[in-house]
Every structure is written in structure tokens, then in C-alpha cells.
Amino acid sequence: MDEGISRLPERQLLEHRDFIGLDYPSLYMCKPKRGVKRDESKETYKLPHRLIEKKRRDRINECIAQLKDLLPEHLKLTTLGHLEKAVVLELTLKHLKALTALTEQQHQKIIALQNG
């Protein structure tokens, strides 16, 4: 791939400020110039598109890995073997819904205690 792209340490979430000031000269070749046939610019377009897509996939995979790390161990043990991406997302939703319900219950108890 492109040696100009630095590797991020594992489990580091990318933020908008991480992209400020970065120079991607090959990205500016994406749009064909006027008068250039589309077939001639196709190869010019492919490399930057592949890099952009790879970065997008890497960001998605990194976020899923971070979600997996945040899941409680008892949820991770409910599956056999490797946690697929879809399973990680499903377990995260299940856990968030449980936390939301618990928070709502505690909020209702606090209101009941305050009222008498």
C-alpha cells in the first residue's frame, strides 16, 4: 500500500483533528480534468478510492474492536469462540439496552424516594 500513510497504534480512535493538515496529493487526482475521457482517468481514480475505502474499513474495524473490549466478560462468554463483527454489534446493543433500562429504573427509584 502507500508508505506515506503512517500506522496508528492499536486501539486508537481516530478523530477529526487527526486528519487536519494531512496532505493526500493522490486524492486530488480523483476528478478527471476537462477534456479527458473517463476511461483514461479510471486508473487514476482507482488507487485513491482503494485507499479511502481501506481507511474507512480500518476505522470501522477499529471501532468494533473497541466495542468488543468494552463489553462485559459475561456477554463475551455467551458465544462460542471468535466474536464476529455482527455479534459484537448485537451484544453491544443488548448491553446498551440493559444499561438504559437499569438507569431508568434507578431514576424512577430516586424520584419515588424524593417524593416520599
Side-chain angles (χ1 to χ4, degrees), residues 107-116:
H107 182 67
Q108 294 299 327
K109 285 181 183 178
I110 290 170
I111 291 173
L113 290 171
Q114 287 175 343
N115 291 338

Side-chain angles (χ1 to χ4, degrees), residues 46-73:
K46 277 187 180 180
L47 180 62
H49 180 70
R50 286 181 188 153
L51 291 175
I52 291 168
E53 278 300 307
K54 182 178 181 342
K55 284 185 180 191
R56 185 187 68 80
R57 287 190 311 272
D58 289 345
R59 284 181 25 233
I60 291 170
N61 289 335
E62 185 57 38
C63 289
I64 290 173
Q66 288 182 17
L67 285 174
K68 180 180 173 184
D69 291 344
L70 291 173
L71 285 173
E73 288 300 318

Side-chain angles (χ1 to χ4, degrees), residues 30-58:
C30 290
K31 293 183 180 178
K33 295 181 181 178
R34 291 180 188 236
V36 177
K37 291 182 182 177
R38 188 160 178 88
D39 293 338
E40 294 174 13
S41 65
K42 195 172 184 180
E43 288 303 315
T44 306
Y45 171 78
K46 277 187 180 180
L47 180 62
H49 180 70
R50 286 181 188 153
L51 291 175
I52 291 168
E53 278 300 307
K54 182 178 181 342
K55 284 185 180 191
R56 185 187 68 80
R57 287 190 311 272
D58 289 345

Side-chain angles (χ1 to χ4, degrees), residues 5-110:
I5 299 173
S6 60
R7 299 288 298 169
L8 291 172
E10 281 191 39
R11 306 282 189 258
Q12 180 180 349
L13 185 62
L14 293 175
E15 297 178 3
H16 175 70
R17 67 174 182 248
D18 296 328
F19 296 100
I20 295 174
L22 288 179
D23 183 30
Y24 298 107
S26 60
L27 293 179
Y28 300 115
M29 297 186 330
C30 290
K31 293 183 180 178
K33 295 181 181 178
R34 291 180 188 236
V36 177
K37 291 182 182 177
R38 188 160 178 88
D39 293 338
E40 294 174 13
S41 65
K42 195 172 184 180
E43 288 303 315
T44 306
Y45 171 78
K46 277 187 180 180
L47 180 62
H49 180 70
R50 286 181 188 153
L51 291 175
I52 291 168
E53 278 300 307
K54 182 178 181 342
K55 284 185 180 191
R56 185 187 68 80
R57 287 190 311 272
D58 289 345
R59 284 181 25 233
I60 291 170
N61 289 335
E62 185 57 38
C63 289
I64 290 173
Q66 288 182 17
L67 285 174
K68 180 180 173 184
D69 291 344
L70 291 173
L71 285 173
E73 288 300 318
H74 72 276
L75 282 178
K76 292 179 191 177
L77 297 176
T78 60
T79 62
L80 299 173
H82 175 71
L83 287 177
E84 294 178 356
K85 294 175 193 176
V87 174
V88 171
L89 293 174
E90 290 167 350
L91 291 176
T92 301
L93 283 173
K94 179 180 178 180
H95 186 58
L96 279 175
K97 287 178 182 178
L99 289 176
T100 303
L102 181 63
T103 303
E104 184 61 33
Q105 285 177 347
Q106 291 176 345
H107 182 67
Q108 294 299 327
K109 285 181 183 178
I110 290 170

